[in-house]
Amino acid sequence: MSITLNTTMSSIMTNKRRVGALKSLGVVTVGDALTYYPFRVADPVPLRALREARIGERMAFSASVRSMRVVPMNVRRGYRLEAVVDDGDFAVSRHVAGAAARLVFFSYKKQYVDWLSMRLRSGAIVVIAGEPSEFNGQLQFTHPEIMTVAPGSGPADGEYSGVVQMSALKYDADTVEAGLRRISRPRPVYHASSRISSEHIHESIVQCIELLAGTGQDLPGDAATEAPQTMKPMEDGGISGAGTAPADAESRSGNAVAVGLARAIPDVLPESVRESNHLLHRAEAFLAIHDPLNTADFKRAIGTMRYEEAFVSQTALLQSRSNVRKDAALPCAGVALRDRFIESLPFPLTGGQREIIDDIGVDMAREYPMQRLLQGEVGSGKTVVAVAAMLQAAGSGHQAVLVAPTQVLAEQHHATISAMLCAIDGVETGDDPSRDALSPNDPADLIKAAESAADDGDAKGRTAVKHPVKHSGARRGKQDGAAHANTRHVPVILLTGGMKLAARRRALALAASGDPCIIVATHAAFSKTFQAPNLALVVIDEQHRFGVEQRESLRTKNDVVPHLLVMTATPIPRTAAMTWFGDLDISWLTELPGGRKPIRTFIVPEDDGRMMGSMFAHIRGRIDAGERAYVVCPRIDADDESDGDDDTSGALQIGVYDDSDAYRRESAAAAANTAASAPSQEDGDGAPSRPPLHSVAEIERRLSSLPQFRGVRFATLTGRDDDATKQQVMADFADGATPVLVATTVIEVGVDVPQASCIVIFDADRYGLSQLHQLRGRVGRGGTDSWAFLISRAEDGGPAQQRLQVIQGTLDGAQIAQADLEFRGAGDVLGDAQSGGKSGLKLLRVVKDVKIIADARERAGRLLADDPDLSGEVELAGAVLDFTRGNETFLTSS
């Protein structure tokens, strides 16, 4: 059977249990196995004679087998193999007296025991590594790693120095010295699971390497599944043209594996790039990673594969960017309507907004599609920039679509944009002393300005909105809930999955007509029923909520590719943006509008009852002043298992200390109930489990019973609520009918209630920093003082508390993103981990490897300038195709 990188593990391994365990780790093919990298390499095993053994400390030595026996275990079933070994010859080299020890193996499989018995026949020379223990006064090694040593040339009878020739057995090492070097080498350590150990992962990968090189052998009965056993030794040798000499020429003298592996695994990097960076051949790097000779070789090999990832990813991004410019787009040069819109705004634009609007205007006037990422702080005015771009498209006679991740946000965008367009003719463009007093991010101000400018005689056909959420945007004259809001300039169409069928059909028909318009949609825009034949611009709001596959579905609906503007308020460090969004032009909105006051952030230990009570008293004071408060919980109710944590609601330690014995008794009872229903504080391996997460249902019940909130109405909002419920809840919250909203993170994106001044986040120590920053941005949007309270059960000085201190110490999204990336890694921040671990980047670190990324990008750019189609680099072209296949490696969906 010919083995390739695409060969499945199930076709080369007979042990289905191990195949399943590897599959659970994402290892399905031989290529997956080779790129399942260890996260560290263990220290070399020290050589010690038996008399130098230290109980519990791993050691390696050579010995001869004195005796061996197999004992059936009648009670427990299976077999116990015992071998007595003597290290006399090895001890002499250590200048100590020889000694004996017992090797013990247990197995249920007779086939495995027979195979092991052949390796440990009396008189055999073996090299052993393991952890010594003491049993019945004798030194013992349980399931040690063993390597058989080939006997030397001797008398014709096949015996030499007590070693028995075993012609049926393939020996693991030619000499004792080679075996000791081999067994004491640094050992790679892999992320394992309860189903498979790091040792077994290592064995499986080494077997793949051997089979690829054409030197592998099947073990009887898949014996390696029973205990850590070394396969045929990997005598790794230098590869011709690698630019390096073997670190240990003697140990790498047999380079058949290396040469065979080089034939099976061609290099990906161009030869010039590899030589100029002193990198290893790809095959040699795999050998040094999974079978390292020393730690230096391991680190160098990891560096090689890390650079390969950088080069492949940057080549893919640059090639994608170049290919886009070959597509035709609808040029949008009409800026008159856009400029009138800017003049009509009841507030001045920031310098950053003006600059980005101008950049977008230049991009959209070209005949190839714009691809731009707009990153801005929460409340920095990205919506105004997006509306300006969409008006440039509509003013040029084309269509534009804005895609929002939730219906609440889509409805809010629809209402805000409709109000903005109403004001184009209604607001005088001369100097207005009230302009500077208005917030550019307060939809209430925008709608108020629009309504005051509206002509009463023309009210039937225009938008009439009292609040951006309560009325879900513009309504038609007959108040029939249709999604089409007419203005004097351009219609604004709302399209969501929750619309009634008649309204949805009207919205789809208006879009399909091709008439100039602005469409505000949710995921419904990705459906096959949505057609916009004159689409010139696609705006994706909160891009991290959508995958590239969805984004591309809009780009490929028509023959002409629309311009693309993706927006995010989730802070992404520039280094990460360069790695993951290298196919986009990137703009940063860092300047916040005037009048915004900083949000004061406090970390509140949940077990500090006095501080919790004071916090709730403060919130009641703000509610009495006409403001609103969010309370965020990570779980919907006790039955919600969406995050995979414990599903029991935790008791709140929020003692009011108001001499209310009844409340204290209620708190104690709740704590007792939670303790009784919560899982044990120790799992199977003795590690303490995390406390259960708080739920919306429990927190709403507990808070509404507090004396601080007597007479205050509460509302709840979760992802399970239907669209009508969400709309009504947000309307009541905005109007003040229910001034406290207990919700899940469904409010994280886009929800804009200017009166909200306080947010309480329970289990804050369990969130990522970027998400906490997003949640905190829900308050302080109306220009009033605002507060964020992070309720934590984190240990003092622990990593979770350190993360919260970052949020407490800064409002700078860039700093928070950098810290989040360092704490959690690029995968978690950018979405890989949440999307099931799919990632084309396994070693590259977007923060620490910024120099590698920059170098790879520069070299990739030069290569593509000379060979745009990579026709001269077939292997690199294949790697780039593999990287881009599936799309999830560019923009991952969380």
Side-chain angles (χ1 to χ4, degrees):
M1 176 181 177
S2 178
I3 307 297
T4 68
L5 293 176
N6 294 322
T7 301
T8 61
M9 298 297 290
S10 59
S11 65
I12 62 174
M13 297 185 68
T14 59
N15 189 312
K16 302 306 179 185
R17 183 171 55 185
R18 179 174 293 196
V19 170
L22 290 171
K23 185 177 180 180
S24 69
L25 299 176
V27 178
V28 179
T29 66
V30 172
D32 294 335
L34 267 60
T35 55
Y36 191 80
Y37 299 113
F39 64 90
R40 69 179 179 90
V41 62
D43 294 331
V45 180
L47 300 180
R48 292 176 186 158
L50 290 176
R51 290 193 181 274
E52 299 173 311
R54 301 171 188 173
I55 301 299
E57 292 187 16
R58 193 169 171 81
M59 58 177 282
F61 62 99
S62 68
S64 61
V65 180
R66 282 187 185 176
S67 62
M68 183 273 300
R69 65 171 183 160
V70 176
V71 181
M73 296 185 295
N74 296 326
V75 177
R76 298 175 56 189
R77 295 187 307 160
Y79 305 88
R80 181 179 75 252
L81 185 148
E82 295 180 0
V84 177
V85 297
D86 186 333
D87 73 337
D89 293 339
F90 178 72
V92 170
S93 68
R94 303 284 299 176
H95 306 292
V96 296
R102 181 189 291 112
L103 312 181
V104 180
F105 300 86
F106 301 92
S107 177
Y108 291 106
K109 295 185 178 180
K110 184 65 165 61
Q111 189 179 21
Y112 167 71
V113 173
D114 292 342
W115 176 79
L116 194 58
S117 299
M118 183 173 63
R119 295 167 64 86
L120 293 175
R121 288 175 56 181
S122 178
I125 298 296
V126 291
V127 173
I128 301 165
E131 185 178 299
S133 61
E134 188 176 353
F135 182 74
N136 288 339
Q138 186 174 4
L139 201 63
Q140 177 172 296
F141 293 81
T142 304
H143 282 276
E145 182 179 355
I146 63 169
M147 295 180 64
T148 56
V149 180
S153 58
D157 60 3
E159 294 187 3
Y160 177 75
S161 300
V163 179
V164 178
Q165 179 73 28
M166 294 177 287
S167 59
L169 180 67
K170 272 192 172 182
Y171 296 98
D172 298 322
D174 294 331
T175 65
V176 170
E177 291 75 14
L180 287 172
R181 280 195 304 270
R182 167 77 185 155
I183 208 165
S184 62
R185 278 187 189 178
R187 185 61 56 89
V189 182
Y190 302 83
H191 287 291
S193 69
S194 60
R195 300 177 61 185
I196 186 169
S197 67
S198 175
E199 282 290 336
H200 287 167
I201 294 171
H202 179 239
E203 292 164 10
S204 301
I205 296 175
V206 170
Q207 184 182 19
C208 291
I209 289 175
E210 292 182 335
L211 291 172
L212 270 174
T215 61
Q217 58 177 331
D218 294 330
L219 294 182
D222 221 21
T225 62
E226 294 296 328
Q229 299 293 330
T230 298
M231 306 284 290
K232 185 178 184 298
M234 296 292 298
E235 302 289 346
D236 25 340
I239 295 176
S240 176
T244 60
D248 186 335
E250 181 181 354
S251 65
R252 294 182 181 230
S253 58
N255 59 3
V257 172
V259 173
L261 198 62
R263 294 194 189 100
I265 307 176
D267 212 352
V268 167
L269 293 175
E271 186 73 15
S272 59
V273 173
R274 187 163 61 82
E275 288 183 348
S276 60
N277 285 277
H278 307 290
L279 303 174
L280 301 175
H281 188 283
R282 195 170 197 239
E284 189 174 15
F286 281 138
L287 281 172
I289 288 173
H290 298 295
D291 192 35
L293 184 67
N294 51 54
T295 54
D297 279 2
F298 176 84
K299 291 178 181 178
R300 187 179 179 196
I302 288 290
T304 294
M305 299 310 297
R306 181 174 289 130
Y307 190 91
E308 180 186 292
E309 286 187 355
F311 195 86
V312 170
S313 64
Q314 293 306 306
T315 302
L317 290 168
L318 290 174
Q319 195 175 52
S320 172
R321 183 171 182 167
S322 176
N323 290 338
V324 165
R325 298 196 173 188
K326 299 177 183 178
D327 296 329
L330 294 172
C332 301
V335 297
L337 183 59
R338 182 200 71 179
D339 293 343
R340 286 167 54 201
F341 159 72
I342 294 174
E343 287 297 319
S344 72
L345 291 172
F347 48 78
L349 295 180
T350 65
Q353 286 174 314
R354 289 185 178 276
E355 181 180 351
I356 293 173
I357 288 174
D358 290 341
D359 291 342
I360 291 174
V362 172
D363 289 348
M364 291 181 61
R366 298 189 176 114
E367 294 185 351
Y368 59 84
M370 170 186 74
Q371 289 204 126
R372 184 171 292 275
L373 169 67
L374 174 57
Q375 176 175 320
E377 284 286 353
V378 174
S380 60
K382 297 185 297 298
T383 301
V384 173
V385 174
V387 172
M390 290 188 289
L391 285 176
Q392 182 170 336
S396 302
H398 305 304
Q399 296 172 306
V401 60
L402 169 63
V403 184
T406 66
Q407 177 163 331
V408 169
L409 182 55
E411 290 173 345
Q412 182 169 295
H413 277 320
H414 179 247
T416 303
I417 293 170
S418 299
M420 286 178 174
L421 299 190
C422 281
I424 290 180
D425 283 343
V427 178
E428 295 183 3
T429 57
D431 292 336
D432 185 347
S434 65
R435 286 177 60 143
D436 290 340
L438 294 173
S439 167
N441 302 289
D442 188 344
D445 286 343
L446 294 171
I447 295 169
K448 182 179 179 181
E451 290 176 340
S452 65
D455 182 3
D456 293 338
D458 194 34
K460 181 178 180 180
R462 73 173 68 247
T463 306
V465 183
K466 294 182 179 179
H467 189 273
V469 176
K470 180 177 181 180
H471 292 282
S472 307
R475 296 177 182 266
R476 301 184 69 180
K478 294 183 179 180
Q479 298 293 311
D480 60 358
H484 182 195
N486 289 314
T487 70
R488 293 179 180 178
H489 307 283
V490 67
V492 183
I493 302 169
L494 177 65
L495 177 65
T496 69
M499 297 172 64
K500 292 182 178 180
L501 182 59
R504 180 182 176 88
R505 285 177 174 173
R506 281 194 294 270
L508 290 172
L510 288 168
S513 70
D515 294 338
C517 64
I518 292 176
I519 305 157
V520 182
T522 58
H523 289 72
F526 303 126
S527 68
K528 295 181 179 179
T529 57
F530 174 73
Q531 298 293 330
N534 196 18
L535 185 62
L537 174 65
V538 174
V539 181
I540 305 290
D541 193 14
E542 293 304 329
Q543 57 78 27
H544 66 287
R545 298 299 179 104
F546 303 101
V548 170
E549 198 167 339
Q550 294 172 311
R551 186 185 81 182
E552 290 299 308
S553 70
L554 282 175
R555 288 170 48 83
T556 57
K557 279 182 179 291
N558 304 324
D559 295 334
V560 178
V561 177
H563 300 285
L564 174 69
L565 175 65
V566 293
M567 304 191 300
T568 178
T570 301
I572 303 171
R574 290 175 185 264
T575 53
M578 182 172 63
T579 302
W580 284 81
F581 306 103
D583 58 335
L584 306 178
D585 295 310
I586 305 175
S587 299
W588 274 270
L589 266 180
T590 58
E591 182 182 359
L592 290 178
R596 291 290 299 270
K597 295 183 179 180
I599 303 170
R600 283 171 278 187
T601 305
F602 299 91
I603 301 172
V604 181
E606 189 174 317
D607 57 2
D608 189 334
R610 191 174 299 277
M611 184 178 293
M612 294 284 284
S614 299
M615 176 189 70
F616 289 124
H618 168 80
I619 293 173
R620 175 57 187 263
R622 304 320 307 162
I623 291 172
D624 292 341
E627 297 170 7
R628 317 280 187 271
Y630 295 105
V631 179
V632 179
C633 303
R635 175 159 296 181
I636 298 176
D637 53 38
D639 296 327
D640 177 26
E641 299 180 1
S642 59
D643 55 10
D645 289 307
D646 303 318
D647 63 353
T648 320
S649 300
L652 289 177
Q653 306 299 321
I654 51 177
V656 185
Y657 293 91
D658 61 350
D659 296 327
S660 173
D661 292 336
Y663 174 74
R664 294 187 181 187
R665 287 195 300 271
E666 195 270 341
S667 292
N673 290 336
T674 298
S677 60
S680 169
Q681 291 303 301
E682 291 192 355
D683 53 25
D685 58 4
S689 62
R690 295 187 296 179
L693 296 174
H694 292 302
S695 68
V696 168
E698 173 68 10
I699 294 300
E700 189 275 335
R701 183 185 67 81
R702 299 293 305 282
L703 296 188
S704 60
S705 67
L706 293 178
Q708 290 98 326
F709 295 114
R710 187 172 292 117
V712 174
R713 291 183 59 196
F714 282 72
T716 62
L717 183 67
T718 73
R720 291 181 186 171
D721 296 329
D722 57 42
D723 295 333
T725 301
K726 290 178 182 177
Q727 181 178 336
Q728 186 61 49
V729 166
M730 289 306 304
D732 291 343
F733 179 64
D735 288 346
T738 53
V740 180
L741 178 61
V742 185
T744 59
T745 54
V746 69
I747 68 162
E748 174 188 352
V749 175
V751 174
D752 193 346
V753 178
Q755 299 87 349
S757 63
C758 297
I759 185 168
V760 179
I761 305 173
F762 281 95
D763 297 303
D765 51 297
R766 306 281 279 273
Y767 291 90
L769 297 187
S770 294
Q771 191 173 29
L772 287 174
H773 183 59
Q774 278 273 58
L775 288 169
R776 178 172 60 180
R778 296 308 101 204
V779 299
R781 306 173 75 88
T784 61
D785 291 331
S786 53
W787 295 265
F789 300 98
L790 310 179
I791 312 302
S792 169
R793 289 181 281 190
E795 297 181 0
D796 291 340
Q801 187 183 58
Q802 293 174 18
R803 296 202 331 268
L804 295 182
Q805 288 171 348
V806 171
I807 288 288
Q808 185 182 36
T810 182
L811 294 171
D812 188 337
Q815 292 184 24
I816 292 170
Q818 185 80 8
D820 205 12
L821 208 57
E822 293 171 355
F823 274 118
R824 299 201 293 157
D828 289 336
V829 174
L830 298 177
D832 319 348
Q834 291 91 329
S835 63
K838 295 180 179 179
S839 173
L841 302 179
K842 297 184 178 182
L843 294 174
L844 195 65
R845 302 161 299 184
V846 294
V847 175
K848 296 181 180 180
D849 296 330
V850 60
K851 292 182 178 179
I852 294 177
I853 295 170
D855 181 83
R857 189 176 184 83
E858 179 184 354
R859 294 179 187 274
R862 292 202 299 264
L863 176 65
L864 289 173
D866 297 334
D867 186 4
D869 298 325
L870 298 177
S871 56
E873 299 291 343
V874 178
E875 297 300 333
L876 176 61
V880 169
L881 181 62
D882 289 340
F883 181 84
T884 57
R885 183 177 290 129
N887 297 313
E888 68 275 357
T889 52
F890 278 84
L891 293 174
T892 52
S893 174
S894 63

